[in-house]
Amino acid sequence: MPCTVVVGAQWGDEGKGKITDLLAEQADVVVRYQGGSNAGHTVVVGGETFKLHLIPSGILHDHVLSLMGDGTVIDPQCLAEEYTGLRERGVSCQGLRISGNAHVIMPYHIVLDRLQEESRGKSVIGTTLRGIGPTYTDKAARMPQPVRMWDLLDKDVLRERVTGQLAEKNKIIAALYGADPLDVDAVVDEVWQYVPVFGGHIGDTRAVVFDQMARGANIIFEGAQGTYLDLDYGTYPFVTSSHPVAGAACLGTGVGPTAIDDVIIVNKAYMTRVGAGAFPTEQDNDTGQLIRERGKEYGTTTGRPRRCGWLDGVALRTSAKINGATGLAVTLLDVLNPFEQVAVCTEYRVNGETLTMMPGNLDLLADVEPVWEELPGWQTEISGCRSLSELPAKAQAYVARMSELAGVPLKMVSVGPGREETIMV
Ligand code: IMP
């Protein structure tokens, strides 16, 4: 294991939280490398459900150091609420370390996210409205004096930063969007009230990772969102503003590529997507509705119903390559229990051509026709299975086909939400 990246192979919501939580039992460190409170990781422990947006899933294990790396963006209100909620439920949160270099999602970023979405009209992205895009935009634009986590430790510094930021942001908010400008004191006070909750956990996470690597620690790099929401490798522009792919685990935490030993891609037994954008295997019909109801496919962060469809082997195969996968974790296999036949897309057809990989020009995705393969369904309850051989033969054949399409060995199969409802291969 020593350094393992856990990354979503689809458009997010693959069940990475559960997989990370399971691997965290053997881990010393779990570090999140990108994204912010747009993520929603649901972990079920002993019948109790934990919904995490920002704090790495490792936090549910007391022995694990849970780091939020330099590449993340952090909403202080969300962090404080999540932290307090966990503490109230008996989670110590002692191992939490937050990078001082992570950029802060400020109230004006959230206002701008909404205003930008409203102004997009038909081209709306369907963001989570959590301020993700505007925060990463400021980071990439090298705005003078943006607010980073270090800056929250001194109220005077915070005020100076906010004053500088609002001098520009308020012009945009008022002149471009005709909305009400924000008040410096109100923004500072709003953010400052949350700092005492987590301020003691802010520090140099890169140093912690280096130190742990030197000790030979088991480290999990936890991705948020998924491969096809990546700013470069996703279905642009219907993507998030960071890089969920495995390569970004290095950028977002400070380690070099040679440090990574394993990459586990997580793929559901079917596909889902939230927000706008192409989705070749979408089933906007009774099949999709049954998957949605059985998989409880409603956003953890926004509550929005997710679009659902059959497994896309082209997307899976491509994802395995983009992430340099060494293993596959299949989640939510039990959702497909009732189906008599299960369809899998193995190739795309477009403009008379057959594609086995996602097209480089993802604009083509809107026009592709899936080539379907039908597999027999297993029509049996499987949540009690604890080994591959206990799965019905047809379900075994299905996950074997997934592994074949991905071109990487099967490592885990999840047959229910609980920690114990998992097959380790
Ligand atoms: P943003 O990350 O809020 O800017 O949203 C950009 C796109 O990514 C939208 O289509 C969102 O629905 C999608 N998105 C962001 N985070 C997640 C996630 O954790 N799961 C699934 N979709 C997400």
Side-chain angles (χ1 to χ4, degrees):
M1 161 153 172
C3 285
T4 304
V5 182
V6 176
V7 57
Q10 311 177 234
W11 282 283
D13 311 314
E14 296 91 350
K16 297 175 293 291
K18 169 174 169 172
I19 300 300
T20 307
D21 172 67
L22 280 167
L23 294 174
E25 273 170 20
Q26 317 290 326
D28 304 292
V29 182
V30 175
V31 50
R32 246 190 84 174
Y33 55 86
Q34 45 71 234
S37 40
N38 47 348
H41 292 165
T42 306
V43 184
V44 181
V45 184
E48 253 198 281
T49 303
F50 292 86
K51 292 190 181 217
L52 301 167
H53 297 286
L54 271 174
I55 298 182
S57 313
I59 202 76
L60 302 175
H61 297 268
D62 274 346
H63 70 279
V64 169
L65 284 174
S66 292
L67 317 184
M68 300 175 63
D70 298 28
T72 60
V73 289
I74 300 176
D75 176 340
Q77 178 179 356
C78 179
L79 177 58
E81 286 174 1
E82 200 163 303
Y83 183 93
T84 308
L86 284 166
R87 298 272 309 191
E88 281 168 4
R89 294 172 73 182
V91 179
S92 84
C93 295
Q94 266 176 11
L96 182 65
R97 305 281 184 279
I98 304 158
S99 168
N101 289 328
H103 283 242
V104 180
I105 301 176
M106 296 293 287
Y108 41 83
H109 291 129
I110 296 173
V111 168
L112 281 168
D113 199 358
R114 181 175 50 78
L115 293 171
Q116 287 170 359
E117 276 288 87
E118 284 168 5
S119 73
R120 283 185 183 120
K122 274 194 197 153
S123 313
V124 69
I125 293 174
T127 75
T128 58
L129 302 177
R130 297 295 173 113
I132 306 297
T135 308
Y136 277 117
T137 302
D138 278 0
K139 177 178 175 178
R142 298 151 302 162
M143 289 299 291
Q145 309 217 314
V147 185
R148 298 194 294 169
M149 292 305 280
W150 297 123
D151 305 321
L152 298 187
L153 296 174
D154 181 328
K155 196 172 183 185
D156 291 334
V157 172
L158 175 62
R159 185 183 307 280
E160 195 188 309
R161 299 275 198 261
V162 172
T163 305
Q165 291 299 307
L166 279 185
E168 193 235 17
K169 296 285 184 281
N170 273 342
K171 282 190 202 141
I172 298 173
I173 289 171
L176 195 59
Y177 298 109
D180 291 337
L182 277 71
D183 175 66
V184 171
D185 285 336
V187 169
V188 170
D189 290 344
E190 187 185 333
V191 171
W192 183 250
Q193 66 179 307
Y194 302 116
V195 179
V197 178
F198 55 74
H201 295 271
I202 297 174
D204 180 353
T205 50
R206 188 176 29 175
V208 178
V209 175
F210 286 165
D211 178 50
Q212 292 291 323
M213 279 172 65
R215 292 162 194 252
N218 284 335
I219 305 179
I220 295 173
F221 298 80
E222 181 182 29
Q225 290 81 50
T227 302
Y228 295 112
L229 288 175
D230 186 278
L231 196 51
D232 281 320
Y233 298 100
T235 44
Y236 190 88
F238 303 103
V239 295
T240 191
S241 295
S242 68
H243 295 283
V245 297
C250 297
L251 298 174
T253 61
V255 306
T258 48
I260 306 297
D261 301 290
D262 271 313
V263 176
I264 305 287
I265 51 169
V266 185
N267 210 101
K268 296 194 227 207
Y270 51 89
M271 308 296 286
T272 60
R273 173 158 208 187
V274 209
F279 182 178
T281 62
E282 181 169 17
Q283 298 297 303
D284 191 9
N285 51 29
D286 289 349
T287 297
Q289 184 58 23
L290 184 55
I291 293 176
R292 185 175 306 113
E293 290 315 317
R294 287 191 52 81
K296 302 187 182 58
E297 295 293 356
Y298 296 88
T300 314
T301 303
T302 59
R304 286 182 287 179
R306 296 178 184 141
R307 300 158 65 193
C308 298
W310 293 121
L311 180 74
D312 185 337
V314 179
L316 177 58
R317 191 185 284 129
T318 311
S319 215
K321 285 270 181 277
I322 289 174
N323 292 298
T326 57
L328 169 69
V330 174
T331 54
L332 292 132
L333 183 64
D334 53 304
V335 168
L336 299 186
N337 287 351
F339 290 98
E340 204 180 326
Q341 294 284 325
V342 190
V344 175
C345 162
T346 55
E347 293 171 339
Y348 295 155
R349 293 250 161 80
V350 63
N351 301 334
E353 264 189 85
T354 301
L355 303 181
T356 53
M357 301 290 275
M358 285 287 225
N361 176 1
L362 282 168
D363 288 350
L364 279 179
L365 209 57
D367 302 322
V368 302
E369 286 287 325
V371 176
W372 296 109
E373 179 178 296
E374 296 269 335
L375 281 91
W378 42 96
Q379 298 193 287
T380 322
E381 183 50 64
I382 57 169
S383 53
C385 299
R386 295 291 174 267
S387 66
L388 267 190
S389 58
E390 285 176 33
L391 278 178
K394 288 167 183 165
Q396 287 185 41
Y398 187 74
V399 288
R401 184 70 177 120
M402 282 186 74
S403 166
E404 191 177 45
L405 286 165
V408 290
L410 186 66
K411 296 279 182 181
M412 295 162 93
V413 182
S414 170
V415 291
R419 259 183 192 163
E420 66 293 350
E421 290 168 315
T422 313
I423 297 168
M424 303 299 262
V425 182

